């Protein structure tokens, strides 16, 4: 965790000055930590504009390179480029920045020996750095900001920490974020910053890179050469990452350009190869140089020679060697789950490493337990304990397995391979960001709790559309304790403030959280015309209104931003907001077209035209991104097809959904659509609106529409005075929407029936039943908690009435997690299980029922996997202190259910409640196992209707 503290031995006056300066002095925004750079001078501060920059000539090349980059950053911000000096004997400015690695920099070692700095707290830490303001550090230098690293990357991270503090975003090149001009910059006095990472290896995987990233790379750099990768290396270091799996679909990192590997090591990037590319050899290198089939059972010698060459090539460079073997192109091995064969493969690979390095423990290795490879482990296969076990998620952001208590003692430790992008079933998703950071936090917090913290690597696909979650993932890996669940929104605000200014941070965080929550509900590639319901709970309309509001707010903000920030805002905020809304609204327009054609509405064709318009709008957004944004800098980056999937893989090009045609005649012809019904009058049937309740949906809709093109008049009569209609008569050219509601003061108590009669054209007109339940005054006085209405009770998990903990464990809220509001899970995450529900942490909800009977309860929970073997994922529920019934979320889970759940972003856990009498009841939920994450509870009392998100939350009375 980042620690910023006052230096010891300072007077009370100096401390007070520091605190006042921190609170009142304008600062430069950085993401996390306490700002130590300001735009105003104060006593003891180090002047950064015009300062000297000292870096020892004997220090690592990567450190010297980072220092040169810092000099350029200072010049872009202040207008003055510091002179880089390489020895204490060189005279220069009175204020300076001194950066160096302990044991490699004579300047740093001299400051330690003289007692000017004491980096002992990080000196022996992996990638630790120490930043301190020092008075008179060198002859002729009055003050300096000293950056001392425990190792090469520690120093580099300290240097780039300063770059961010002065106002240079890590994404300055990748997202066109020029730093603001600040001619005067100072490092505060009396501040000590000491930091080191929690996760040892933190990185990204560039994957599934064609057509978008590959098209852009080839146009911009010619190929995946060192010119491209230098941009990636610098970005990673600015984000305090250190590990990279390079693009590999049609590329081979070390073979395509020999400078790639050399410069990676020089910069300080640890290279690896993906989960299915053993021994630092790219998959495509076998196509180029391999002899015979990629099958160890029949071609072992050629494969061993191939791997040996990879080890010899990479021996001089810092690398993590992937062990094991999968089939070519990331497929299962053709030999099947042959444990003995895979054990032999690993033994032979270890022998190659032994010959190269003497002791194989001297070089880090990883066994990626991806897909079916985890099955080898579960069948008993083991690797030497110094090999890191890299557990994977299910490709949809749900970690499949984490270390048991016994496994946590392995010297090689464990890690997690995570996904923001995926090619495979149930459907590929590769286009834009679809993963809310609350989801990332919830899963990676489990990894941290169960000590899977040797390696965190995330598949970022093309990288460009994944800026926000990528930074969150890497920042979380560096310091999980800095970003607890309570600070998730704050992370977004700080990120937005750094990139666009504090004035707009709150609004930008809401926009980014808004579009990612929507995409997290169902990825754009998986949406279709049936996703959101047109018939029930006005779901599709509510979603459209939510998205329209996001678009409106984003466009207003775009107009307020200075020109220098608009390209970045378009990339990071406006485009994903508009593109997300466009695709969802296109599918909703398609759904209306199909429904209206079935109902024989003249306006069906207008909705087909609207769907085509939105399809074209999606293309226009892509064209702008490619041709106009930043002068065409990002051409190809949005070229991934995303519309028109029919199976797991993307279509070759975006494909307009199938639309229906209805050709209206030229006569007036009335039709009536009733809310909640796909069938429409004059088709024969019993037409009635869903039952009304004073605690339910306040109005229901009738749509009087034209089946022809000539207008007609209509009239509505109500059978009872308690039935209200927004208009009693009118004229229809295309369609008119009327709202039906209840005058509760005029309505008799109990269940009542009536109807409305609509006349226009046709024989007899349409009769639509209207029913209502009006509780008695006594019932209304008694009603409390979540009140049954419309045939259900719906509760957001975070809206509990009471809760209780057990053994220091309690249900707590994860803000922004889930499809509708937030989620509840138990913290701290431990191995503690509760087999007696009454002794477990609990949540309690007050619920008022008017009905009685056996009701189905659906717990909307996160689709968490069986993260620890030999146990379930259980909660229990009980009514009014009765016997709890246990629900195991993993029971019956198969690949078909899994596919449905990850597509929906939620698992529905079913149970039943027996309610024997109406009135107020207490529903209690017990957490029996860790990692149960509850989003919502829906109780079907007889009227629940199908919808994607479930019904809106019920009325809650105090």
């Amino acid at each position: 965790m980042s620690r910023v503290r006052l230096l010891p031995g300072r007077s009370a006056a100096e401390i007070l000055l520091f605190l006042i300066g921190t609170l009142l002095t304008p600062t430069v925004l950085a993401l996390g930590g306490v700002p130590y750079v300001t735009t105003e001078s104060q006593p003891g501060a180090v002047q950064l504009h015009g300062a000297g920059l000292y870096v020892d000539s004997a220090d690592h090349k990567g450190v010297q390179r980072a220092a040169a980059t810092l000099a350029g950053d200072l010049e872009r911000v202040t207008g003055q480029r510091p002179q880089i000096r390489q020895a204490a004997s060189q005279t220069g400015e009175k204020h300076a920045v001194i950066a160096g690695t302990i044991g490699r920099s004579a300047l740093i070692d001299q400051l330690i020996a003289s007692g000017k700095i004491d980096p002992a707290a990080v000196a022996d830490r992996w990638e630790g750095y120490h930043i301190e303001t020092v008075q008179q550090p060198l002859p002729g230098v009055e003050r300096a900001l000293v950056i001392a690293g425990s190792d090469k990357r520690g120093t580099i991270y300290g240097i780039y920490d300063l770059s961010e503090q002065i106002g240079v975003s890590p994404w300055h090149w990748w997202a066109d974020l020029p730093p603001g001009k600040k001619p005067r910059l100072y490092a505060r006095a009396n501040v000590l910053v000491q930091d080191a990472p929690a996760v040892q290896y933190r990185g990204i995987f560039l994957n599934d890179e064609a057509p978008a990233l590959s098209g852009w790379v080839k146009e911009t750099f010619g190929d995946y050469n060192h010119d491209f990768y230098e941009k990636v290396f610098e970005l990673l270091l600015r984000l305090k990452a250190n590990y990279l799996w390079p693009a590999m679909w049609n590329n081979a990192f070390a073979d395509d350009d020999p400078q790639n590997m050399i410069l990676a090591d020089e910069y300080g990037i640890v290279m690896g190869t993906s989960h299915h590319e053993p021994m630092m050899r790219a998959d495509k290198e076998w196509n180029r140089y391999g002899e015979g089939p990629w099958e160890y059972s029949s071609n072992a010698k050629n494969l061993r020679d191939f791997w040996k060459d990879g080890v010899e090539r990479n021996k001089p460079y810092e690398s993590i060697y992937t062990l094991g073997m999968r089939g070519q192109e990331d497929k299962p091995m053709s030999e099947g789950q042959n444990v003995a064969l895979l054990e032999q493969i690993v033994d032979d690979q270890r022998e190659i490493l032994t010959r190269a390095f003497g002791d194989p423990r001297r070089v880090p290795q990883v066994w990626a337990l991806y897909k079916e490879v985890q099955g080898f482990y579960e069948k008993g296969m083991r690797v030497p304990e110094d090999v890191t076990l890299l557990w994977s998620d299910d490709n949809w952001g749900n970690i499949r397995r984490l270390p048991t208590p016994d496994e946590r003692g392995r010297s090689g430790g464990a890690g997690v391979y995570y996904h923001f992008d995926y090619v495979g079933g149930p459907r590929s998703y590769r286009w834009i960001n679809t993963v809310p950071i609350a989801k990332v936090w919830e899963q990676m917090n489990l990894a941290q709790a169960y000590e899977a913290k040797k390696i965190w690597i995330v598949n970022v696909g093309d990288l460009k559309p994944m800026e926000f979650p990528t930074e969150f993932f890497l920042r979380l890996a560096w310091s999980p304790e800095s970003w607890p669940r309570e600070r998730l929104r704050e992370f977004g605000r700080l990120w937005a403030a750094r990139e666009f200014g504090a004035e707009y941070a709150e609004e930008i965080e809401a926009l980014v959280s808004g579009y990612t929550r929507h995409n997290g509900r169902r990825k754009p590639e998986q949406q279709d015309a049936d996703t959101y319901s047109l018939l029930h709970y006005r779901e599709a309309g509510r979603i459209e209104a939510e998205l329209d509001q996001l678009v409106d707010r984003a466009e207003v903000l775009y107009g307020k931003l200075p020109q220098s920030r608009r390209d970045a805002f378009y990339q990071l905020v406006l485009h994903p907001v508009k593109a997300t809304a466009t695709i969802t609204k296109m599918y909703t327009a398609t759904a209306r077209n199909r429904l209206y054609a079935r109902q024989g509405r003249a306006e069906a064709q207008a909705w087909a035209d609207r769907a085509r318009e939105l399809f074209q709008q999606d293309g226009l957004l892509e064209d702008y991104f490619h041709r106009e944004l930043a002068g065409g800098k990002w051409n190809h980056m949005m070229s991934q097809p995303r519309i028109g999937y029919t199976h797991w893989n993307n279509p070759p090009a975006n494909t307009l959904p199938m639309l229906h045609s209805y050709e209206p005649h030229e006569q007036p012809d009335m039709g009536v659509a009733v809310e909640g019904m796909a069938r429409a009058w004059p088709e024969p049937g019993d037409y009635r609106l869903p039952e009304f309740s004073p605690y339910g949906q306040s109005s229901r809709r009738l749509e009087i529409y034209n089946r022809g093109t000539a207008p007609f008049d209509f009239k509505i009569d109500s059978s009872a005075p308690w039935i209200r209609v927004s208009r009693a008569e009118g004229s229809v050219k295309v369609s008119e929407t009327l709202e039906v509601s209840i005058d509760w003061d005029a309505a008799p108590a109990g269940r009542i029936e009536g109807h409305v009669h609509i006349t226009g054209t046709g024989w007899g007109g349409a009769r639509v039943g209207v029913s209502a339940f009006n509780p008695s005054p006594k019932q209304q006085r008694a009603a409390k908690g979540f009140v049954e209405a419309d045939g259900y009770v719906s509760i957001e998990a975070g809206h509990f009435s009471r809760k209780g903990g057990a053994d220091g464990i309690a249900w707590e809220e994860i803000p922004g997690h889930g499809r509708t509001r937030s989620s509840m899970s138990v913290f701290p995450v431990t191995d503690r299980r509760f087999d007696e529900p009454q002794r477990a942490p609990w949540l309690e909800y007050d619920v008022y029922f008017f009905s009685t009977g056996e009701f189905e309860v659906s717990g909307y929970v996160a689709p968490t996997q069986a993260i620890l073997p030999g146990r379930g994922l259980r909660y229990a529920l009980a009514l009014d202190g009765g016997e709890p019934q246990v629900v195991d979320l993993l029971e019956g889970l198969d690949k078909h259910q899994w596919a449905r759940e990850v597509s929906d972003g939620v698992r529905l856990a079913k149970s039943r409640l027996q309610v024997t009498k109406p009135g107020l009841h207490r529903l209690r939920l017990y957490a029996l196992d860790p990692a149960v994450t509850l989003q919502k509870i829906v109780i079907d009392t007889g009227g629940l209707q199908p919808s994607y998100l479930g019904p809106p939350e019920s009325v809650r009375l105090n």
Side-chain angles (χ1 to χ4, degrees), residues 652-667:
N654 291 320
T655 307
L656 180 69
M658 181 178 64
L659 299 168
H660 293 182
S661 178
Y662 172 77
E663 295 294 335
H665 51 70
E666 296 180 355
Q667 300 300 312

Side-chain angles (χ1 to χ4, degrees), residues 269-550:
I269 299 299
V270 182
M271 291 304 301
T273 46
S274 70
H275 53 280
H276 69 101
E277 298 177 297
M279 306 294 279
M280 294 306 295
R281 295 306 300 262
D283 180 81
K284 292 299 175 283
E285 288 188 85
W286 181 256
N287 294 345
R288 298 173 187 178
Y289 308 115
E291 296 181 14
W294 181 264
E295 292 185 9
Y296 206 75
S297 58
S298 61
N299 197 28
K301 182 182 184 304
N302 284 333
L303 282 163
R304 284 196 300 270
D305 290 343
F306 177 71
W307 293 334
K308 179 182 177 182
D309 290 345
V311 172
E312 290 300 320
R313 179 181 64 193
N314 279 72
K315 186 177 177 180
Y317 312 120
E318 198 173 1
S319 309
I320 300 179
Y321 289 82
T322 297
L323 300 185
M325 186 175 181
R326 289 194 85 212
Q328 268 204 290
E329 299 182 349
D330 202 12
K331 296 175 182 176
M333 290 173 60
S334 60
E335 292 98 338
Q337 284 200 333
N338 187 332
V339 171
L341 177 63
L342 193 56
E343 286 179 335
Q344 184 62 55
I345 291 170
V346 172
D347 287 345
D348 291 350
Q349 291 169 340
R350 292 274 291 186
E351 177 61 27
I352 293 170
L353 293 173
T354 299
R355 292 182 179 182
F357 295 98
D359 185 346
R361 292 173 295 181
R362 294 173 55 190
V363 59
Q365 301 145 65
V366 63
W367 185 29
L369 300 167
Y370 180 72
K371 285 192 175 180
E372 83 289 341
V373 179
Q374 184 177 325
F376 287 85
Y377 188 88
E378 305 299 355
K379 287 184 176 182
M381 178 179 169
R382 295 295 182 265
V383 294
E385 75 156 25
D386 61 284
V387 177
T388 301
L389 299 180
L390 188 67
W391 301 101
S392 176
D393 68 356
D394 59 359
N395 301 305
W396 291 77
N398 309 292
I399 298 173
R400 296 175 65 196
R401 173 80 146 73
L402 287 168
T404 64
D406 289 342
E407 291 164 345
R408 291 169 210 162
R410 298 179 71 261
S411 61
V416 172
Y417 169 35
Y418 203 73
H419 286 76
F420 295 156
D421 164 286
Y422 178 57
V423 171
R427 189 161 289 181
S428 300
Y429 62 95
R430 304 166 55 193
W431 176 43
I432 59 174
N433 176 25
T434 63
V435 185
I437 63 169
K439 168 78 171 179
V440 178
W441 182 89
E442 182 254 338
Q443 287 291 296
M444 299 312 296
N445 180 65
L446 295 174
Q448 174 70 11
Y450 292 131
E451 299 184 28
K453 54 185 181 180
K454 184 77 170 182
I455 299 172
W456 284 12
I457 188 162
V458 59
N459 184 333
V460 298
D462 299 316
L463 176 62
K464 187 72 189 80
M466 309 298 180
E467 297 94 338
F468 183 66
T470 296
E471 179 155 7
F472 178 76
F473 182 91
L474 295 174
R475 297 280 185 179
L476 189 67
W478 179 272
S479 180
E481 59 269 34
S482 294
W483 303 110
R485 63 185 184 279
E486 298 89 349
R487 293 192 72 199
L488 294 176
R489 289 198 64 200
E490 184 181 355
F491 179 90
R493 290 192 293 266
L494 288 169
W495 175 84
R498 185 192 69 195
E499 312 300 29
F500 301 105
E503 179 182 358
Y504 306 116
E506 189 86 22
E507 181 73 343
I508 291 173
E509 187 280 329
L511 292 169
V512 173
S513 294
Y515 93 77
T516 51
R517 180 196 285 279
H518 178 75
N519 287 338
R521 290 167 175 157
R522 194 169 189 88
K523 299 183 187 299
E525 293 89 342
Q526 288 192 304
Q527 291 182 39
D528 57 33
D530 298 324
T531 298
Y532 296 106
S533 177
L534 289 176
L535 300 176
H536 305 302
Y537 310 121
R538 302 183 182 178
E539 183 177 62
R542 288 188 291 111
I543 293 296
E544 283 187 309
E546 177 185 309
L547 294 172
D548 282 342
Q549 185 187 58
L550 290 175

